[in-house]
């Protein structure tokens, strides 16, 4: 069975998320650079998508590898980084790198939480941590599930570019996932996102079990505190 995340992350995703741009990525990478200086470091952008963070990482002097499952997004990433960044098409559930290859691994803008069971999430993190050198840093940038639950907008009618889109959001009956359905009215196509509502505590636990010591936490890309209303759950883990 094809999973939703194998279908959704293509041209349509880029059209419907135009606000997730280079400026936004620049802020995220400035924060990463603060907690784990990037110059000269080997960095894996895990689920790099269209390469907006990879480009910023490269600008800050890191040696970057981007990995993603989506071919169309990797083509964008390649164009954006002018072939200066190695791009790998792979599933994060089967990471094609040698252990101890990277100084820093980033997983940004909720590029996690998509799998059917929690064990799979744990395995992905554990395998990713195996790729980090000792003393290396893992930065996980997830949505703040508390804020997602509280601020859920059940229905939105939007015009994105030239397309009219209806977006419906709900908490799944299991109370553990948020579902977002996007209906493109002009051509009748629909897409769905289904993301696990991991709390900050859940994420800390997953990271600890994967072998990381979780230190700093932030609530936004400006480095604000991880409050209940903050938009993001940004966690910094270090491998002993
Ligand atoms: C929300 S997007 C964010 C992309 C990028 N980090 C950014 O902020 O622009 C999530 C990304 O995860 C990728 N992805 C989803 N499942 C994946 C998997 N199993 N293995 C590798 N990449 C995956 C998607 O293709 C998509 O590029």
């Amino acid at each position: 069975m094809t999973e939703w995340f194998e279908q959704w992350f293509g041209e349509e995703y880029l059209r419907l998320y135009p606000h997730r741009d280079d400026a936004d990525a620049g802020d995220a990478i400035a924060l990463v650079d603060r907690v784990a200086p990037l110059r000269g470091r080997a960095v894996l952008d895990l689920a790099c998508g269209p390469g907006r963070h990879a480009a910023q990482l490269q600008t800050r002097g890191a040696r970057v590898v981007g990995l993603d499952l989506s071919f169309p997004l990797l083509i964008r990433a390649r164009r954006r980084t002018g072939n200066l960044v190695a791009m790998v098409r792979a599933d994060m559930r089967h990471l094609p790198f040698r252990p101890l290859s990277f100084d820093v691994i980033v997983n940004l803008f909720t590029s996690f939480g998509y799998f059917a069971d929690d064990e799979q999430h744990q395995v992905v993190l554990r395998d990713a941590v195996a790729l980090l050198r000792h003393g290396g840093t893992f930065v996980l940038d997830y949505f703040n599930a508390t804020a997602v639950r509280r601020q859920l907008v059940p229905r939105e009618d939007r015009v994105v570019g030239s397309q009219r889109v209806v977006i419906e959001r709900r908490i799944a009956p299991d109370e553990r996932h948020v579902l977002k359905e996007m209906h493109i009215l002009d051509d009748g196509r629909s897409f769905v996102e289904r993301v696990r509502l991991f709390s900050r505590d859940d994420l800390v636990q997953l990271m600890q079990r994967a072998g990381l010591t979780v230190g700093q936490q932030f609530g936004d890309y400006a480095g604000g505190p991880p409050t209940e209303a903050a938009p993001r759950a940004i966690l910094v883990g270090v491998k002993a």
Side-chain angles (χ1 to χ4, degrees), residues 8-9 15 23 31 45-46 48 51 55 60 66 86 90 116 180 198 215:
W8 161 235
F9 291 110
R15 266 194 284 276
L31 182 62
D45 184 356
L46 184 59
C48 64
R60 284 177 182 264
K180 181 172 172 185
F198 284 129

Side-chain angles (χ1 to χ4, degrees), residues 34-49:
R34 242 171 75 186
V35 298
L38 292 165
R39 185 154 298 282
R41 301 291 179 190
V43 180
L44 174 62
D45 184 356
L46 184 59
C48 64

Side-chain angles (χ1 to χ4, degrees), residues 55-73:
Q56 301 282 340
L57 289 163
Q58 202 266 334
T59 303
R60 284 177 182 264
R63 292 177 286 119
V64 190
V65 177
L67 176 143
D68 204 277
L69 191 56
S70 163
F71 189 63
L73 294 192

Side-chain angles (χ1 to χ4, degrees), residues 122-191:
Q122 187 66 73
V123 168
V124 167
L125 271 188
R126 189 201 62 202
D127 291 352
V129 171
L131 306 181
L132 270 182
R133 298 188 182 124
H134 296 288
T137 304
F138 191 104
V139 180
L140 180 61
D141 160 37
Y142 208 73
F143 58 37
N144 173 12
T146 309
V148 169
R149 284 180 198 273
R150 287 194 186 157
Q151 298 164 13
L152 197 82
V153 179
R155 192 188 154 94
E156 226 183 305
D157 228 316
R158 245 202 239 166
V159 176
V160 186
S162 58
Q163 290 177 316
R164 277 196 54 214
V165 185
V166 171
I167 301 176
E168 291 174 325
R169 301 181 183 85
R170 63 181 190 280
I171 305 296
D174 67 5
E175 292 280 326
R176 290 153 62 90
H177 294 86
V178 58
L179 299 173
K180 181 172 172 185
E181 281 175 23
M182 290 149 286
H183 308 284
I184 300 169
L185 298 189
D186 301 340
D187 59 17
R189 284 180 306 154
S190 289
F191 298 92

Side-chain angles (χ1 to χ4, degrees), residues 5 13 47 49 52-53 68-69 73 91-92 108-109 111 114:
F5 53 83
Y13 163 76
R52 59 200 184 109
H53 299 107
D68 204 277
L69 191 56
L73 294 192
D91 191 316
M92 64 171 86
L108 302 170
F109 190 46
S111 300
Y114 302 163

